[in-house]
Amino acid sequence: MLRKIHSANVNAYTLNPLYFAIVGNKAPMMKLPERRWLSILPLLLLPLSLHGQNVRKQSAFDYVDPLIGTVNGGHVFPGATLPFGMAKAVADVKGENQGGFASDGSDIIGFSHMHDSGTGGSPSLGNFPIFPQSGCPGDDLDNCKFTQAGRAIGHINGTVEAHPGYFAITLNSSVSAEMTVSNHTALYRFSFPKRPVEPDTPLSPLILADLADLPGSRTNGAISVDNTTGRITGNGTFRPSFGIGTYTLHFCADFSGAAIRDTGLFANNRGGPGKSLVAQADGVNMSPRIMPTGAWTRFYAAKSNGQILARVGVSFISVAQACNSAENEIPDFNFDETLKVAEDAWKAKLSVIELDAEGVSDDLQTVFWSGVYRTMISPQDYTGENPLWDSDEPYYDSYYCIWDSFRSIHPLLTILDPHSQTLMVRSLIDIYRHLGKLPDCRMSFCKGFTQGGSNADIVLADAYLKNISENVDWTTGYEAVVSDAEDEPANWAVEGRGGLQSWKALGFIPTDDFDILGSGPRTRSISRTVEARFYIPSQFNDTLVGIPGNDDSGAMGSFSTMTMLGIFPNAGQDVYFITPPFFRSVSITNPSTENTATIYNVNFDPEGRNVFIQSATLDGMPYERNWLRHSFFLNGGTLELVLGPTERYSMGV
Ligand SMILES: *[C@@H]1O[C@H](CO)[C@@H](O)[C@H](O)[C@H]1NC(C)=O
Ligand SMILES: *[C@@H]1O[C@H](CO)[C@@H](O)[C@H](O)[C@H]1NC(C)=O
Ligand SMILES: *[C@@H]1O[C@H](CO)[C@@H](O)[C@H](O)[C@H]1NC(C)=O
Ligand SMILES: *[C@@H]1O[C@H](CO)[C@@H](O)[C@H](O)[C@H]1NC(C)=O
Ligand SMILES: *[C@@H]1O[C@H](CO)[C@@H](O)[C@H](O)[C@H]1NC(C)=O
Ligand SMILES: *[C@@H]1O[C@H](CO)[C@@H](O)[C@H](O)[C@H]1NC(C)=O
Ligand SMILES: *[C@@H]1O[C@H](CO)[C@@H](O)[C@H](O)[C@H]1NC(C)=O
């Protein structure tokens, strides 16, 4: 969608953004597309009239609906996560499971601890799923279900519940699962039936851990189970979903709530005794044939509340680090306390925005706050988890891809959460420092496939111009951007740009370019046309299908949020185009400077008739531009827009 609106502008910068921004360092683009912008306003504002005013919900937090975008290819991760957290727990379905769970009614195959959100293509992560059963039929271990196909089970309609930091579902077996997280640890609370559901299946819960991931990409792995504590630990080597190479992940699962009866391993559909095993891919075939492999811990019936907690730490470094994180972050398996910390973290993130939403439908408020929420799911903070190089710099991962995130995700973060944005920028520069190029796509410590150019350049330019300068090494950042512009990489499929010789000599890249410096896809030489890529009205709402296509790690969420805030960034420049907010007023308090910027609509009309700006004042003085600079958000102020029902052409320019 964004690409359609902005592709004309964006393509002009794609090849050289920071270069222009820093070297040129002149006031940006003075010729403003005011009339074109104003003319799409009626479209943008249409949904205002969709619903009447209903019962008011309590708070921003209550409006977030993590399930929006969990059908029809939205691929949104709807489970429990902290803002930018590494641990992301959810029930994984057998169907369209890029985000783990989808609201498509397909069977649940496990509960896993790491996910991506809103990605296209194939599924990713979903490593080491655990799965609970309340007993083995006939009390015979071999009658428990170990393989994905065997254990797959539906859920009871109406039992899915999701809010920031929390996800719950009841399996068709009557086992209910709730989950919450800390930064590197997932905590599950399974409630087992209090009496046997089937007469021949005495209550003796079994929880297995499977050395698998969602794409089925594991090559090697190993798993162990401790027969006194029930602890299951292991590792696996997996492939990234949209990149090259492999990554290794480790986990550490502990249990609480019931006495341990016995422990063991499984291979294929057979369970038995044993302490540890090493799993290897069948090296004979090009693609690994992976035998379902894992370990299990079986319990005596849980205490009177029927609950067993499973705590799973994850680490890219080692099993020891996974166990340490779990023990330090959730020492006593306290579910309610862990959940409260997670909820409070989200409330704090949302608290920087204040709306006067009187008269605005719950539908629109849900779209708005859910968009803010989805902007802060990814990229994931893997600081301290980097197995590739030693560094004191932060490390963020799961950029899917910056092609999708530079337009509105990073600009929105720059306003709402400049600290996190700064850490991401530092992380990008550190990746350049150690790998020689900035990424466009990067996941699970692997290089991902570049999309439309080297868009990290724009993220850096945007951050530079907006002064998020907290400990950013701009000298190296500038070097990184110049490298993208000047130095062709051997494989521009995963970093940098191809065709640079022609670009430098001709100013464009011919479709039949002769390029012997490197290799990669030759699609970027074709200029993309502006399409005629829908606007907000019909496409964003509070239903499960409420976003158009993939969320792209929050790209759609941040797009709707910025549009409804009445500011749209032109990423890579210190410019926000002004449109009337969808609310009477919006205020954003910058968490770094603690200054508040307010946009106020005079003649605000929740029915969406007064959508044209007649005149404006900034801090009481007439304001003649249709754009703002970032200093508004740094220093605070009040922009007052006077609205009317018809277009007025005289402002701006
Ligand atoms: C759920 O379990 C009930 C009772 O065993 C069964 O009739 C039904 O088909 C199951 N549904 C699914 C979706 O598994
Ligand atoms: C459960 O929900 C699905 C999808 O919404 C629906 O197709 C199915 O009929 C429902 N089943 C029951 C038993 O209500
Ligand atoms: C998660 O990690 C972030 C970044 O290090 C930190 O600011 C935050 O306090 C951590 N949250 C919890 C609940 O530990
Ligand atoms: C996985 O664990 C096994 C058993 O502890 C160990 O031998 C192996 O080196 C580990 N693999 C990796 C890649 O860390
Ligand atoms: C645990 O395993 C050890 C040997 O590996 C064995 O000696 C011990 O009896 C086992 N304990 C239980 C409770 O099964
Ligand atoms: C919600 O949005 C989706 C796609 O973004 C659209 O297909 C659907 O018709 C919309 N639903 C409503 C009730 O507006
Ligand atoms: C950023 O800082 C520079 C130097 O301190 C200043 O000139 C510029 O106005 C600032 N920009 C913003 C958007 O505040």
Side-chain angles (χ1 to χ4, degrees), residues 100-421:
F101 182 79
S103 300
D104 61 1
S106 59
D107 285 351
I108 310 296
I109 51 175
F111 297 87
S112 71
H113 337 293
M114 288 178 52
H115 293 87
D116 288 308
S117 186
T119 65
S122 47
S124 58
L125 299 173
N127 320 73
F128 313 123
I130 61 173
F131 193 84
Q133 293 166 70
S134 58
C136 304
D139 206 26
D140 180 346
L141 197 58
D142 270 336
N143 290 337
C144 261
K145 305 293 186 194
F146 293 102
T147 62
Q148 266 187 18
R151 67 190 187 236
I153 189 168
H155 72 272
I156 296 174
N157 272 8
T159 60
V160 174
E161 193 186 332
H163 67 250
Y166 181 82
F167 185 91
I169 192 166
T170 301
L171 301 178
N172 209 23
S173 59
S174 298
V175 177
S176 85
E178 298 168 276
M179 56 219 74
T180 187
V181 288
S182 56
N183 274 319
H184 310 92
T185 310
L187 184 64
Y188 301 86
R189 182 161 68 186
F190 296 117
S191 298
F192 293 92
K194 300 233 167 87
R195 60 188 69 84
V197 177
E198 304 290 338
D200 71 330
T201 307
L203 286 186
S204 181
L206 178 145
I207 300 178
L208 64 79
D210 190 344
L211 276 188
D213 67 346
L214 281 173
S217 78
R218 176 173 58 74
T219 48
N220 299 333
I223 196 160
S224 305
V225 56
D226 183 309
N227 69 358
T228 50
T229 62
R231 168 178 278 186
I232 303 175
T233 57
N235 64 36
T237 299
F238 305 94
R239 294 213 190 101
S241 76
F242 194 64
I244 57 174
T246 61
Y247 69 94
T248 296
L249 190 70
H250 310 262
F251 81 102
C252 177
D254 287 300
F255 307 97
S256 168
I260 288 160
R261 178 178 168 190
D262 54 1
T263 59
L265 304 169
F266 71 85
N268 266 328
N269 59 352
R270 298 293 306 277
K275 288 184 84 160
S276 61
L277 65 79
V278 173
Q280 271 169 337
D282 175 353
V284 175
N285 298 295
M286 285 294 284
S287 65
R289 274 205 320 229
I290 302 156
M291 180 158 74
T293 300
W296 50 268
T297 294
R298 190 156 55 159
F299 306 86
Y300 292 108
K303 293 171 193 150
S304 56
N305 62 9
Q307 293 179 342
I308 296 178
L309 288 117
R311 182 187 70 188
V312 186
V314 281
S315 172
F316 286 95
I317 301 288
S318 64
V319 161
Q321 182 151 323
C323 295
N324 281 340
S325 293
E327 287 164 356
N328 293 333
E329 292 173 5
I330 310 181
D332 51 7
F333 294 80
N334 189 330
F335 190 90
D336 295 334
E337 177 59 29
T338 307
L339 173 59
K340 183 169 187 316
V341 170
E343 289 173 345
D344 287 348
W346 281 109
K347 285 176 184 166
K349 291 291 185 200
L350 300 174
S351 72
V352 303
I353 307 178
E354 211 177 298
L355 303 177
D356 176 349
E358 204 192 328
V360 178
S361 70
D362 277 349
D363 175 5
L364 268 187
Q365 293 188 66
T366 300
V367 169
F368 179 85
W369 291 112
S370 304
V372 178
Y373 169 78
R374 293 205 306 278
T375 306
M376 298 186 182
I377 296 178
S378 294
Q380 282 96 263
D381 182 358
Y382 292 174
T383 304
E385 292 290 337
N386 187 345
L388 301 181
W389 62 82
D390 283 326
S391 171
D392 293 331
E393 284 298 280
Y395 183 88
Y396 281 71
D397 198 309
S398 279
Y399 293 99
Y400 265 94
C401 300
I402 297 178
W403 190 54
D404 290 302
S405 64
F406 81 88
R407 290 184 186 84
S408 54
I409 294 177
H410 291 288
L412 183 56
L413 292 178
T414 302
I415 295 175
L416 303 183
D417 189 358
H419 178 66
S420 295
Q421 170 67 5

Side-chain angles (χ1 to χ4, degrees), residues 519-550:
S519 61
R522 296 180 184 265
T523 52
R524 269 167 292 158
S525 60
I526 303 168
S527 61
R528 301 177 183 94
T529 49
V530 180
E531 299 167 55
R533 187 148 151 66
F534 302 112
Y535 299 105
I536 274 194
S538 55
Q539 298 294 305
F540 287 84
N541 53 54
D542 66 355
T543 69
L544 295 177
V545 282
I547 53 173
N550 303 156

